[in-house]
Amino acid sequence: MSISLKRARAIFVKDYKEFSRNYAISIILVFPILFAFLFRSAGSALPGAIGFLLNTSLVILTSLAQACLIAEEKERNTLRSLMLTPATTLDVLIGKSSLVFVMSAVVLAISTYILGYEPANIGTFTAAIILSIILYTAAGTICGLFSKTVLEASLSILPVAFIFTGAPWGAVLAKDYPVFKVLDFMPSSQLVHLLGLGDTGYTTGDVLKPLLIILAWTVVLTVVSVVLYVRRLKDE
Amino acid sequence: MAGSMHSLYIYAINAKDVEFMEVIQVERVRKSFGPKDALADVSFSIPKGEIFGFLGPSGAGKTTLIKILTAQLNPTSGQASVFNQPAERMRQSAQKMRFGILTDNSGLYERLSVEENLELYRKLYDLPKAAVDKVLQFVNLSGERKKKVNLLSKGMRQRVMLACAIIHEPELLFLDEPTSALDPVNSAHIYKGLRYLNEKGTTIFLTTHDMAEAELMCNRVAILYQGQIQVIGSPKELKRQHRKHAVSVDLTNGEAYELPIGGETADRIADWMKRGLIDRIETKEPSLGDIFIKMTGSELL
């Protein structure tokens, strides 16, 4: 399937204009920054603050915004109209996801700066954040595709929020309840591992394992979202 | 031998011409949703430049057929071709450039202006900037270009949707109930635009349950009922086929007659005419609505 950057950019610009005029949704951009100020006032050394901030922001900003954008297009029948133009599935998905990607990257960077977090390895941190944004965008796409309205989309994010942001906390219980060990394989838990690396004393394995697990989640959820997107737009 | 080769050559030329001329070909198409057949064994073809009306009550299968022809659905069985290619190929970007579609649930971006909506379509179809001005003039909305879509009346919104469907000047235009819920003035605007497009060569596939609209617009119509085509032909032909062989005569003295066409009736009319008694005389022609009721035994919904 071909990709036209021109068409993807046209969809990006359209989404930007729509999003910036939709105050009910665009207000979510403020929350991560607000959280960052709150945590900073509690002291930058607050344990788990950066992990909680980033994981929560990825759900309430990235996934929620994407789910609402997709659901609104479905609710107003514009998604089908868009698919009957020469824009391909990938043009539409890339165009729609780009806005959420850019917004998430900027807001997360600002929030991290406000909190005063300094990553041990900036390259690893950047890679993990980029993969996480893609992953949570895909999760948002899936939620949006299963929702008929924006309201449904906002509610469908709740399980994602519960599972993904709760996983790092649940994984702590793995010593007493081995079944919780599985939560350690969630991308949010792996992100927390990466964020917790010290300036010294970590091996390549300490970096690669979490990155690969996050990458695997990203690939799987992205493929699922594309396949679902194609199938949900058919009336079979 | 030479003669037979010659006829074979002529046949090949003719077959090619016929194929080229037919924009849509549907052969024995069936579409089932579970145990229910939305379309059952539907066959017809549409030549280039025609306005073809697909008529039927709500739920007759009209929208299903448009979805098959625009590759949004696959038929359960049978063949559907558009531009002489399997309809599934209409998913390809190059093919999507060739047709436009306006459905009764086409959407617009409410927070964007008329111009911004059209700009999006212009970019998706990779058209020059002038295309927006041209289409705005065409749908008579140049003065409303800066207005947000959520502030427009239903008629204006429908015209914006039509503009989105035709901005790329498609060879084939699918219209699914284009004037449903529009007042006569807005409907007339749309009809005028469609006729102009058709004169420029656009083939139009129109589904409607409005028989008057079909009669006004279409070169040929097919009446679909319970997933099957009941009758197909030009409105004139259909009316001729289904007309009552009778004339109705109103006399100046208030008497009215419905008389069978024939020599005896001709004599009586001639006599009334000589005596100056004829007030009104007309043939009894059915409307498309009458034909629909006759063919299906159902009232339109």
Side-chain angles (χ1 to χ4, degrees):
Chain A
M1 192 180 285
S2 63
I3 297 171
S4 159
L5 289 181
K6 241 184 186 179
R7 288 181 185 131
R9 195 171 58 218
I11 294 166
F12 170 84
V13 170
K14 180 270 296 173
D15 270 351
Y16 167 71
K17 286 178 183 168
E18 278 255 292
F19 188 85
S20 60
R21 293 168 196 176
N22 184 355
Y23 303 120
I25 304 285
S26 54
I27 189 80
I28 58 177
L29 291 176
V30 175
F31 292 123
I33 295 169
L34 211 63
F35 284 148
F37 276 118
L38 279 174
F39 285 129
R40 191 174 73 165
S41 62
S44 60
L46 187 69
I50 183 69
F52 179 78
L53 174 70
L54 293 184
N55 278 327
T56 310
S57 303
L58 283 164
V59 173
I60 61 167
L61 169 57
T62 313
S63 292
L64 180 62
Q66 181 72 357
C68 289
L69 283 176
I70 297 274
E72 189 175 34
E73 292 251 18
K74 280 181 71 188
E75 191 175 356
R76 300 214 168 128
N77 288 314
T78 45
L79 198 54
R80 192 172 289 278
S81 302
L82 213 54
M83 290 309 294
L84 288 165
T85 68
T88 62
T89 303
L90 287 180
D91 295 339
V92 176
L93 277 177
I94 290 172
K96 294 204 79 61
S97 306
S98 303
L99 176 69
V100 171
F101 184 90
V102 171
M103 286 186 326
S104 302
V106 170
V107 171
L108 290 183
I110 294 170
S111 306
T112 307
Y113 175 75
I114 292 169
L115 190 67
Y117 173 76
E118 284 178 19
N121 181 325
I122 189 76
T124 310
F125 175 75
T126 309
I129 293 297
I130 288 173
L131 288 177
S132 296
I133 293 175
I134 297 171
L135 183 166
Y136 282 87
T137 306
T141 304
I142 294 167
C143 291
L145 288 172
F146 277 109
S147 311
K148 284 182 186 142
T149 62
V150 175
L151 182 66
E152 266 185 46
S154 334
L155 294 174
S156 71
I157 286 297
L158 290 176
V160 178
F162 183 73
I163 295 167
F164 280 64
T165 55
W169 307 101
V172 174
L173 302 171
K175 275 183 192 162
D176 299 326
Y177 304 97
V179 69
F180 284 111
K181 184 86 180 131
V182 74
L183 294 176
D184 202 35
F185 289 93
M186 295 297 285
S188 46
S189 302
Q190 296 301 320
L191 183 64
V192 168
H193 289 319
L194 277 176
L195 295 168
L197 292 177
D199 284 341
T200 53
Y202 62 86
T203 62
T204 313
D206 291 338
V207 172
L208 266 186
K209 187 189 159 203
L211 266 185
L212 285 176
I213 292 175
I214 294 172
L215 176 67
W217 273 92
T218 307
V219 171
V220 169
L221 282 187
T222 304
V223 170
V224 169
S225 68
V226 173
V227 171
L228 263 178
Y229 181 85
V230 173
R231 292 185 67 171
R232 298 291 289 190
L233 282 180
K234 278 186 139 197
D235 292 331
E236 300 290 351
Chain B
M1 180 68 181
S4 68
M5 279 299 283
H6 179 69
S7 350
L8 201 63
Y9 174 72
I10 288 181
Y11 171 76
I13 296 269
N14 289 342
K16 197 180 162 199
D17 284 350
V18 167
E19 278 172 8
F20 179 71
M21 290 297 287
E22 280 172 352
V23 175
I24 292 177
Q25 280 175 295
V26 175
E27 275 176 50
R28 310 204 66 180
V29 161
R30 189 168 72 84
K31 179 66 193 175
S32 312
F33 295 103
K36 199 185 166 231
D37 276 354
L39 293 171
D41 203 20
V42 170
S43 300
F44 67 93
S45 61
I46 303 177
K48 193 175 184 325
E50 189 169 76
I51 302 182
F52 184 83
F54 212 55
L55 317 181
S58 306
K62 307 185 296 285
T63 304
T64 302
L65 188 67
I66 284 198
K67 285 186 173 177
I68 289 173
L69 292 172
T70 52
Q72 297 177 69
L73 276 178
N74 292 325
T76 307
S77 63
Q79 295 279 322
S81 316
V82 181
F83 303 126
N84 214 20
Q85 299 174 62
E88 303 92 75
R89 289 208 192 144
M90 295 304 116
R91 282 193 197 107
Q92 297 169 355
S93 295
Q95 298 305 322
K96 285 181 188 168
M97 297 287 287
R98 301 179 70 184
F99 71 83
I101 179 166
L102 167 64
T103 68
D104 58 345
N105 61 4
S106 288
L108 291 169
Y109 295 99
E110 304 273 331
R111 292 182 206 92
L112 302 187
S113 66
V114 172
E115 189 175 32
E116 285 168 334
N117 269 279
L118 291 169
E119 263 303 304
L120 169 68
Y121 280 81
R122 179 188 75 76
K123 287 174 184 166
L124 294 177
Y125 284 103
D126 201 12
L127 301 170
K129 285 199 166 182
V132 172
D133 296 330
K134 196 173 167 188
V135 81
L136 276 171
Q137 274 177 5
F138 182 77
V139 294
N140 203 17
L141 281 174
S142 297
E144 321 293 330
R145 63 193 305 153
K146 299 286 178 199
K147 245 189 192 172
K148 294 250 175 73
V149 164
N150 56 10
L151 300 175
L152 298 179
S153 68
K154 192 169 169 57
M156 282 182 182
R157 290 165 66 100
Q158 194 78 348
R159 273 146 65 193
V160 179
M161 285 192 257
L162 178 65
C164 293
I166 60 170
I167 191 168
H168 56 301
E169 299 182 6
E171 293 169 55
L172 171 63
L173 182 60
F174 292 99
L175 299 168
D176 193 4
E177 315 272 359
T179 58
S180 60
L182 285 191
D183 60 64
V185 176
N186 277 305
S187 298
H189 267 297
I190 302 251
Y191 296 150
K192 195 177 153 194
L194 294 180
R195 265 195 223 101
Y196 177 74
L197 272 178
N198 180 248
E199 279 163 19
K200 288 186 77 182
T202 303
T203 306
I204 298 176
F205 183 93
L206 168 82
T207 75
T208 180
H209 58 249
D210 183 341
M211 299 289 154
E213 178 175 279
E215 209 163 333
L216 189 73
M217 293 294 298
C218 300
N219 305 117
R220 274 192 319 142
V221 296
I223 293 179
L224 186 73
Y225 184 63
Q226 292 182 338
Q228 285 187 312
I229 289 181
Q230 306 294 323
V231 68
I232 191 165
S234 73
K236 232 180 204 173
E237 258 172 44
L238 293 180
K239 283 171 160 184
R240 202 163 40 230
Q241 280 169 19
H242 293 89
R243 77 179 168 204
K244 279 186 184 173
H245 287 276
V247 285
S248 78
V249 183
D250 293 348
L251 302 184
T252 47
N253 61 12
E255 288 175 22
Y257 296 92
E258 191 175 310
L259 304 166
I261 290 173
E264 200 177 310
T265 298
D267 292 342
R268 281 183 78 179
I269 290 173
D271 178 46
W272 284 328
M273 282 181 127
K274 277 179 204 158
R275 290 157 55 198
L277 283 174
I278 302 266
D279 183 35
R280 196 170 62 93
I281 185 164
E282 64 176 14
T283 52
K284 295 293 282 182
E285 234 178 23
S287 66
L288 276 181
D290 296 332
I291 296 169
F292 179 88
I293 293 166
K294 188 177 166 188
M295 297 309 297
T296 64
S298 300
E299 293 285 344
L300 282 167
L301 295 174

